[in-house]
Amino acid sequence: MLKSIRRPALLLSALALALQACGEGLPPSEETAAATDAPARAQSLALEAEAPDTVVAALQAIPGLTVVSEVPVPVAGVRFFFLTYEQPVDHLKPQGRKFQQRLSLLHRSAQAPFVLATTGYNLLEFPFQDEVTAVVQGNQLLVEQRFFGPSTPQPATWQHLTLEQAAADHHRLVKALKPLYTGKWISTGGSKGGMASVYHRVLYPNDVNGTVAYVAPNSHGPQDPRYIEFLSKVGDADCRARIKAFQREVLTRREELLPLVAEGAWARGLTFDFLGVDKALEFATLEFPFAFWQYGNASYCPLVPLPGAPAEALVEVLDGAAGLYALTDSDIDFFAPYYFQAGTQLGSYASDERHLQGLVHYPRQYAPASLVPFSIKPYPFNPFAIPLIETWVKAFGQRMLFIYGENDPWSTNAFEVSRRNDSYRFFAPNGNHGSSIFDLPEAEQTLALERLSTWAGVPVNAIAPKASARTAGELPVLTLARERPGQGPRN
């Protein structure tokens, strides 16, 4: 018994030391304990009548937390707030510089399950509920990740944008709010948000009672070649050949298409000053097979233009699938934190250029570092962080549920789990990057909901959230992974 308890602790200690050696490291050791201490001035919602002034007063009593506004929602018993919370820029120096992190809070009851959620990117600025929140009928805190939008330190010291620092942000929020919300806690997120929920769980395993991560990849290196192997087998041979022919057609007719791309950007008020139109067109073309399967399915294959198609059709389909205009300056600036993290810790995928010999002007340059609008050279890639997290999840990750899409390229490197740890991994048949619990076969769906019910400590709502969201008076339901076309797993 003692050995089985000590082994996870020893591995977690080794993980902490390794991450400290290779990156910013973890917060001080006392921060790794489960969040149990109530802030001195906080009043527990569980002990108070939940009148409007009481809820707001209890939130405002938390040191560092500000209730910015409350948004009316057309659902009885539900309140929705926008908040900010003061966080250290560097959790290893908690008395140093601070920044304000944006949050939203869906409040139902102090005793209901509490869902800690993130998109992995910016805050969604409208009332909604995550799929897990809808299933367990719980409260929900949505966290904007550091360095996105207004949740950015000034000045932006990029060495503090690490998975360890982001996990510590989540940990401090758990400590602040857990005394008020006494139900079971579940963390969740989709894509990069799912990755963030996993990293937080690994570094602070006692913060929550369970984790549901949707389509969370596990990449080795900034240009992981395993994705090329996946794309060489997904779909049927005819569809894959048609996609490759489309790529060759675009790059063969590059000079014909460039004026159309530039004109399209001008019409949208966008610019390609950082990459240039030529490089943006090539990068979007390399992205096309990945994005096609990430967001689409085999039924879209007949829509891929054949050689000889009008130039306008080539540009329209390229943008629709691969997000050509997501490579303009404004989008690159906005998503620079993602590209930076992918190029320093999180990793990304390699693109297959073998069938495009003689047509590629920037060989092997399509990588996260090429999309960061400043030099990434002072921040080398850490090759140890993700493999260490992967190892911990497989060996010791308890009460974790991973949902993937069978045809989603990001499922290439799905996290592995062990059922002896009450953890599960499922692939939605023919699913893409928008896959959810309710896309699983009935038996797997039932098991997933039953385990989630147990972890959350409540009966699970049997109505699929996607159906209930269409009912008048219900909040929209998202899985936090239904993302716009473009580079990387993003919102």
mmCIF file of all heavy atoms in Angstrom, residues 369-401:
data_model
loop_
_atom_site.group_PDB
_atom_site.id
_atom_site.type_symbol
_atom_site.label_atom_id
_atom_site.label_comp_id
_atom_site.label_asym_id
_atom_site.label_seq_id
_atom_site.Cartn_x
_atom_site.Cartn_y
_atom_site.Cartn_z
ATOM 1 N N ALA A 369 7.374 28.394 -35.228
ATOM 2 C CA ALA A 369 8.306 29.514 -35.095
ATOM 3 C C ALA A 369 8.160 30.515 -36.230
ATOM 4 O O ALA A 369 8.403 31.716 -36.046
ATOM 5 C CB ALA A 369 9.740 28.993 -35.028
ATOM 6 N N SER A 370 7.749 30.041 -37.404
ATOM 7 C CA SER A 370 7.579 30.938 -38.557
ATOM 8 C C SER A 370 6.362 31.831 -38.430
ATOM 9 O O SER A 370 6.218 32.789 -39.192
ATOM 10 C CB SER A 370 7.467 30.110 -39.846
ATOM 11 O OG SER A 370 8.638 29.376 -40.091
ATOM 12 N N LEU A 371 5.488 31.520 -37.476
ATOM 13 C CA LEU A 371 4.252 32.278 -37.331
ATOM 14 C C LEU A 371 4.247 33.153 -36.088
ATOM 15 O O LEU A 371 3.239 33.788 -35.778
ATOM 16 C CB LEU A 371 3.064 31.309 -37.287
ATOM 17 C CG LEU A 371 2.885 30.468 -38.552
ATOM 18 C CD1 LEU A 371 1.792 29.430 -38.355
ATOM 19 C CD2 LEU A 371 2.560 31.347 -39.744
ATOM 20 N N VAL A 372 5.357 33.197 -35.371
ATOM 21 C CA VAL A 372 5.485 34.103 -34.229
ATOM 22 C C VAL A 372 6.044 35.421 -34.752
ATOM 23 O O VAL A 372 7.094 35.427 -35.390
ATOM 24 C CB VAL A 372 6.415 33.515 -33.153
ATOM 25 C CG1 VAL A 372 6.579 34.493 -31.990
ATOM 26 C CG2 VAL A 372 5.874 32.182 -32.658
ATOM 27 N N PRO A 373 5.371 36.541 -34.498
ATOM 28 C CA PRO A 373 5.796 37.820 -35.102
ATOM 29 C C PRO A 373 6.982 38.477 -34.395
ATOM 30 O O PRO A 373 7.084 39.689 -34.343
ATOM 31 C CB PRO A 373 4.532 38.679 -34.989
ATOM 32 C CG PRO A 373 3.817 38.146 -33.810
ATOM 33 C CD PRO A 373 4.078 36.666 -33.802
ATOM 34 N N PHE A 374 7.858 37.676 -33.809
ATOM 35 C CA PHE A 374 9.126 38.143 -33.260
ATOM 36 C C PHE A 374 10.050 36.933 -33.221
ATOM 37 O O PHE A 374 9.606 35.790 -33.406
ATOM 38 C CB PHE A 374 8.960 38.761 -31.862
ATOM 39 C CG PHE A 374 8.285 37.869 -30.855
ATOM 40 C CD1 PHE A 374 9.005 36.934 -30.124
ATOM 41 C CD2 PHE A 374 6.918 37.961 -30.636
ATOM 42 C CE1 PHE A 374 8.383 36.117 -29.196
ATOM 43 C CE2 PHE A 374 6.286 37.151 -29.711
ATOM 44 C CZ PHE A 374 7.017 36.225 -28.993
ATOM 45 N N SER A 375 11.316 37.144 -32.983
ATOM 46 C CA SER A 375 12.273 36.033 -32.990
ATOM 47 C C SER A 375 12.023 35.113 -31.809
ATOM 48 O O SER A 375 11.969 35.545 -30.652
ATOM 49 C CB SER A 375 13.710 36.564 -32.942
ATOM 50 O OG SER A 375 14.616 35.473 -32.850
ATOM 51 N N ILE A 376 11.900 33.820 -32.098
ATOM 52 C CA ILE A 376 11.674 32.826 -31.054
ATOM 53 C C ILE A 376 12.988 32.163 -30.628
ATOM 54 O O ILE A 376 13.006 31.332 -29.731
ATOM 55 C CB ILE A 376 10.660 31.772 -31.569
ATOM 56 C CG1 ILE A 376 10.012 31.018 -30.407
ATOM 57 C CG2 ILE A 376 11.317 30.808 -32.531
ATOM 58 C CD1 ILE A 376 8.898 30.086 -30.837
ATOM 59 N N LYS A 377 14.091 32.566 -31.239
ATOM 60 C CA LYS A 377 15.376 31.919 -30.968
ATOM 61 C C LYS A 377 15.810 31.979 -29.504
ATOM 62 O O LYS A 377 16.423 31.016 -29.007
ATOM 63 C CB LYS A 377 16.461 32.520 -31.864
ATOM 64 C CG LYS A 377 16.324 32.134 -33.334
ATOM 65 C CD LYS A 377 17.452 32.687 -34.170
ATOM 66 C CE LYS A 377 17.316 32.262 -35.634
ATOM 67 N NZ LYS A 377 18.406 32.801 -36.483
ATOM 68 N N PRO A 378 15.537 33.048 -28.758
ATOM 69 C CA PRO A 378 15.948 33.033 -27.345
ATOM 70 C C PRO A 378 15.190 32.016 -26.488
ATOM 71 O O PRO A 378 15.548 31.801 -25.340
ATOM 72 C CB PRO A 378 15.628 34.462 -26.875
ATOM 73 C CG PRO A 378 15.568 35.273 -28.120
ATOM 74 C CD PRO A 378 15.014 34.352 -29.163
ATOM 75 N N TYR A 379 14.139 31.392 -27.056
ATOM 76 C CA TYR A 379 13.301 30.472 -26.289
ATOM 77 C C TYR A 379 13.335 29.098 -26.963
ATOM 78 O O TYR A 379 12.484 28.777 -27.785
ATOM 79 C CB TYR A 379 11.862 30.991 -26.225
ATOM 80 C CG TYR A 379 11.763 32.452 -25.842
ATOM 81 C CD1 TYR A 379 11.621 33.430 -26.818
ATOM 82 C CD2 TYR A 379 11.821 32.837 -24.508
ATOM 83 C CE1 TYR A 379 11.535 34.765 -26.468
ATOM 84 C CE2 TYR A 379 11.727 34.166 -24.148
ATOM 85 C CZ TYR A 379 11.591 35.129 -25.134
ATOM 86 O OH TYR A 379 11.503 36.448 -24.792
ATOM 87 N N PRO A 380 14.300 28.253 -26.626
ATOM 88 C CA PRO A 380 14.433 26.958 -27.301
ATOM 89 C C PRO A 380 13.279 26.026 -26.969
ATOM 90 O O PRO A 380 12.611 26.172 -25.940
ATOM 91 C CB PRO A 380 15.756 26.413 -26.759
ATOM 92 C CG PRO A 380 15.906 27.075 -25.422
ATOM 93 C CD PRO A 380 15.328 28.450 -25.582
ATOM 94 N N PHE A 381 13.066 25.053 -27.851
ATOM 95 C CA PHE A 381 12.007 24.074 -27.614
ATOM 96 C C PHE A 381 12.419 23.130 -26.494
ATOM 97 O O PHE A 381 13.538 22.624 -26.459
ATOM 98 C CB PHE A 381 11.717 23.274 -28.888
ATOM 99 C CG PHE A 381 10.558 22.335 -28.740
ATOM 100 C CD1 PHE A 381 9.259 22.801 -28.838
ATOM 101 C CD2 PHE A 381 10.772 20.987 -28.466
ATOM 102 C CE1 PHE A 381 8.183 21.938 -28.675
ATOM 103 C CE2 PHE A 381 9.699 20.111 -28.308
ATOM 104 C CZ PHE A 381 8.398 20.604 -28.413
ATOM 105 N N ASN A 382 11.477 22.889 -25.571
ATOM 106 C CA ASN A 382 11.702 21.963 -24.459
ATOM 107 C C ASN A 382 11.189 20.584 -24.868
ATOM 108 O O ASN A 382 9.983 20.370 -24.921
ATOM 109 C CB ASN A 382 10.947 22.471 -23.220
ATOM 110 C CG ASN A 382 11.056 21.527 -22.044
ATOM 111 O OD1 ASN A 382 11.552 20.410 -22.154
ATOM 112 N ND2 ASN A 382 10.574 21.965 -20.897
ATOM 113 N N PRO A 383 12.069 19.624 -25.154
ATOM 114 C CA PRO A 383 11.621 18.324 -25.654
ATOM 115 C C PRO A 383 11.153 17.365 -24.570
ATOM 116 O O PRO A 383 10.710 16.256 -24.879
ATOM 117 C CB PRO A 383 12.878 17.772 -26.337
ATOM 118 C CG PRO A 383 14.000 18.347 -25.535
ATOM 119 C CD PRO A 383 13.543 19.728 -25.121
ATOM 120 N N PHE A 384 11.231 17.778 -23.310
ATOM 121 C CA PHE A 384 10.931 16.851 -22.219
ATOM 122 C C PHE A 384 9.550 17.047 -21.615
ATOM 123 O O PHE A 384 8.983 16.113 -21.049
ATOM 124 C CB PHE A 384 11.985 16.991 -21.106
ATOM 125 C CG PHE A 384 13.394 16.769 -21.585
ATOM 126 C CD1 PHE A 384 14.268 17.832 -21.725
ATOM 127 C CD2 PHE A 384 13.839 15.493 -21.912
ATOM 128 C CE1 PHE A 384 15.558 17.634 -22.175
ATOM 129 C CE2 PHE A 384 15.128 15.282 -22.359
ATOM 130 C CZ PHE A 384 16.000 16.356 -22.493
ATOM 131 N N ALA A 385 9.001 18.258 -21.698
ATOM 132 C CA ALA A 385 7.770 18.572 -20.969
ATOM 133 C C ALA A 385 6.619 17.649 -21.360
ATOM 134 O O ALA A 385 5.988 17.019 -20.501
ATOM 135 C CB ALA A 385 7.389 20.039 -21.200
ATOM 136 N N ILE A 386 6.307 17.558 -22.648
ATOM 137 C CA ILE A 386 5.141 16.778 -23.075
ATOM 138 C C ILE A 386 5.353 15.277 -22.855
ATOM 139 O O ILE A 386 4.442 14.599 -22.351
ATOM 140 C CB ILE A 386 4.797 17.083 -24.543
ATOM 141 C CG1 ILE A 386 4.448 18.571 -24.697
ATOM 142 C CG2 ILE A 386 3.634 16.208 -25.007
ATOM 143 C CD1 ILE A 386 3.330 19.056 -23.789
ATOM 144 N N PRO A 387 6.505 14.690 -23.191
ATOM 145 C CA PRO A 387 6.689 13.258 -22.890
ATOM 146 C C PRO A 387 6.550 12.931 -21.405
ATOM 147 O O PRO A 387 6.020 11.870 -21.042
ATOM 148 C CB PRO A 387 8.102 12.966 -23.403
ATOM 149 C CG PRO A 387 8.299 13.952 -24.505
ATOM 150 C CD PRO A 387 7.612 15.199 -24.033
ATOM 151 N N LEU A 388 6.992 13.818 -20.518
ATOM 152 C CA LEU A 388 6.845 13.575 -19.090
ATOM 153 C C LEU A 388 5.369 13.603 -18.683
ATOM 154 O O LEU A 388 4.911 12.751 -17.907
ATOM 155 C CB LEU A 388 7.627 14.621 -18.299
ATOM 156 C CG LEU A 388 9.151 14.422 -18.245
ATOM 157 C CD1 LEU A 388 9.829 15.664 -17.703
ATOM 158 C CD2 LEU A 388 9.513 13.209 -17.404
ATOM 159 N N ILE A 389 4.626 14.548 -19.217
ATOM 160 C CA ILE A 389 3.193 14.623 -18.929
ATOM 161 C C ILE A 389 2.480 13.397 -19.479
ATOM 162 O O ILE A 389 1.631 12.787 -18.815
ATOM 163 C CB ILE A 389 2.615 15.919 -19.509
ATOM 164 C CG1 ILE A 389 3.064 17.100 -18.654
ATOM 165 C CG2 ILE A 389 1.092 15.859 -19.599
ATOM 166 C CD1 ILE A 389 2.732 18.448 -19.214
ATOM 167 N N GLU A 390 2.841 13.009 -20.684
ATOM 168 C CA GLU A 390 2.273 11.819 -21.316
ATOM 169 C C GLU A 390 2.501 10.580 -20.451
ATOM 170 O O GLU A 390 1.590 9.761 -20.248
ATOM 171 C CB GLU A 390 2.912 11.649 -22.692
ATOM 172 C CG GLU A 390 2.470 10.455 -23.484
ATOM 173 C CD GLU A 390 3.217 10.361 -24.802
ATOM 174 O OE1 GLU A 390 4.335 10.915 -24.911
ATOM 175 O OE2 GLU A 390 2.688 9.730 -25.724
ATOM 176 N N THR A 391 3.701 10.453 -19.918
ATOM 177 C CA THR A 391 4.035 9.302 -19.082
ATOM 178 C C THR A 391 3.208 9.290 -17.805
ATOM 179 O O THR A 391 2.691 8.242 -17.384
ATOM 180 C CB THR A 391 5.538 9.327 -18.740
ATOM 181 O OG1 THR A 391 6.289 9.236 -19.958
ATOM 182 C CG2 THR A 391 5.910 8.174 -17.825
ATOM 183 N N TRP A 392 3.048 10.455 -17.180
ATOM 184 C CA TRP A 392 2.272 10.531 -15.934
ATOM 185 C C TRP A 392 0.809 10.169 -16.173
ATOM 186 O O TRP A 392 0.216 9.421 -15.401
ATOM 187 C CB TRP A 392 2.394 11.933 -15.331
ATOM 188 C CG TRP A 392 1.835 12.029 -13.946
ATOM 189 C CD1 TRP A 392 2.524 11.884 -12.772
ATOM 190 C CD2 TRP A 392 0.466 12.255 -13.582
ATOM 191 N NE1 TRP A 392 1.674 12.020 -11.700
ATOM 192 C CE2 TRP A 392 0.406 12.247 -12.162
ATOM 193 C CE3 TRP A 392 -0.699 12.472 -14.306
ATOM 194 C CZ2 TRP A 392 -0.787 12.456 -11.465
ATOM 195 C CZ3 TRP A 392 -1.899 12.670 -13.609
ATOM 196 C CH2 TRP A 392 -1.931 12.664 -12.209
ATOM 197 N N VAL A 393 0.223 10.712 -17.250
ATOM 198 C CA VAL A 393 -1.182 10.431 -17.541
ATOM 199 C C VAL A 393 -1.394 8.936 -17.731
ATOM 200 O O VAL A 393 -2.346 8.352 -17.192
ATOM 201 C CB VAL A 393 -1.644 11.209 -18.790
ATOM 202 C CG1 VAL A 393 -3.018 10.727 -19.256
ATOM 203 C CG2 VAL A 393 -1.685 12.710 -18.500
ATOM 204 N N LYS A 394 -0.520 8.294 -18.473
ATOM 205 C CA LYS A 394 -0.664 6.864 -18.748
ATOM 206 C C LYS A 394 -0.522 6.033 -17.484
ATOM 207 O O LYS A 394 -1.264 5.059 -17.278
ATOM 208 C CB LYS A 394 0.369 6.426 -19.784
ATOM 209 C CG LYS A 394 0.259 4.967 -20.182
ATOM 210 C CD LYS A 394 1.275 4.608 -21.260
ATOM 211 C CE LYS A 394 1.167 3.144 -21.668
ATOM 212 N NZ LYS A 394 2.150 2.792 -22.727
ATOM 213 N N ALA A 395 0.397 6.401 -16.620
ATOM 214 C CA ALA A 395 0.680 5.576 -15.448
ATOM 215 C C ALA A 395 -0.209 5.908 -14.253
ATOM 216 O O ALA A 395 -0.655 5.006 -13.538
ATOM 217 C CB ALA A 395 2.147 5.730 -15.057
ATOM 218 N N PHE A 396 -0.494 7.183 -14.054
ATOM 219 C CA PHE A 396 -1.116 7.580 -12.791
ATOM 220 C C PHE A 396 -2.338 8.475 -12.944
ATOM 221 O O PHE A 396 -2.923 8.874 -11.932
ATOM 222 C CB PHE A 396 -0.095 8.313 -11.916
ATOM 223 C CG PHE A 396 1.149 7.519 -11.680
ATOM 224 C CD1 PHE A 396 2.362 7.941 -12.195
ATOM 225 C CD2 PHE A 396 1.118 6.343 -10.954
ATOM 226 C CE1 PHE A 396 3.525 7.210 -11.984
ATOM 227 C CE2 PHE A 396 2.268 5.603 -10.744
ATOM 228 C CZ PHE A 396 3.476 6.030 -11.254
ATOM 229 N N GLY A 397 -2.736 8.815 -14.165
ATOM 230 C CA GLY A 397 -3.862 9.724 -14.346
ATOM 231 C C GLY A 397 -5.174 9.070 -13.946
ATOM 232 O O GLY A 397 -5.658 8.166 -14.634
ATOM 233 N N GLN A 398 -5.757 9.524 -12.854
ATOM 234 C CA GLN A 398 -6.992 8.941 -12.337
ATOM 235 C C GLN A 398 -8.199 9.796 -12.691
ATOM 236 O O GLN A 398 -8.124 11.014 -12.719
ATOM 237 C CB GLN A 398 -6.907 8.789 -10.809
ATOM 238 C CG GLN A 398 -5.853 7.804 -10.358
ATOM 239 C CD GLN A 398 -5.886 7.585 -8.857
ATOM 240 O OE1 GLN A 398 -6.524 8.316 -8.116
ATOM 241 N NE2 GLN A 398 -5.195 6.542 -8.408
ATOM 242 N N ARG A 399 -9.315 9.110 -12.986
ATOM 243 C CA ARG A 399 -10.595 9.774 -13.281
ATOM 244 C C ARG A 399 -10.426 10.803 -14.381
ATOM 245 O O ARG A 399 -10.744 11.965 -14.223
ATOM 246 C CB ARG A 399 -11.179 10.391 -12.006
ATOM 247 C CG ARG A 399 -11.453 9.374 -10.895
ATOM 248 C CD ARG A 399 -12.006 10.021 -9.643
ATOM 249 N NE ARG A 399 -11.107 11.070 -9.132
ATOM 250 C CZ ARG A 399 -10.008 10.842 -8.430
ATOM 251 N NH1 ARG A 399 -9.661 9.583 -8.137
ATOM 252 N NH2 ARG A 399 -9.258 11.827 -8.018
ATOM 253 N N MET A 400 -9.923 10.321 -15.508
ATOM 254 C CA MET A 400 -9.731 11.176 -16.685
ATOM 255 C C MET A 400 -10.452 10.544 -17.864
ATOM 256 O O MET A 400 -10.410 9.326 -18.064
ATOM 257 C CB MET A 400 -8.246 11.358 -16.995
ATOM 258 C CG MET A 400 -7.445 11.952 -15.836
ATOM 259 S SD MET A 400 -5.711 12.287 -16.254
ATOM 260 C CE MET A 400 -5.882 13.804 -17.209
ATOM 261 N N LEU A 401 -11.119 11.388 -18.649
ATOM 262 C CA LEU A 401 -11.863 10.934 -19.822
ATOM 263 C C LEU A 401 -11.390 11.728 -21.027
ATOM 264 O O LEU A 401 -11.415 12.970 -21.012
ATOM 265 C CB LEU A 401 -13.364 11.146 -19.599
ATOM 266 C CG LEU A 401 -14.297 10.888 -20.788
ATOM 267 C CD1 LEU A 401 -14.221 9.426 -21.231
ATOM 268 C CD2 LEU A 401 -15.737 11.263 -20.427
#
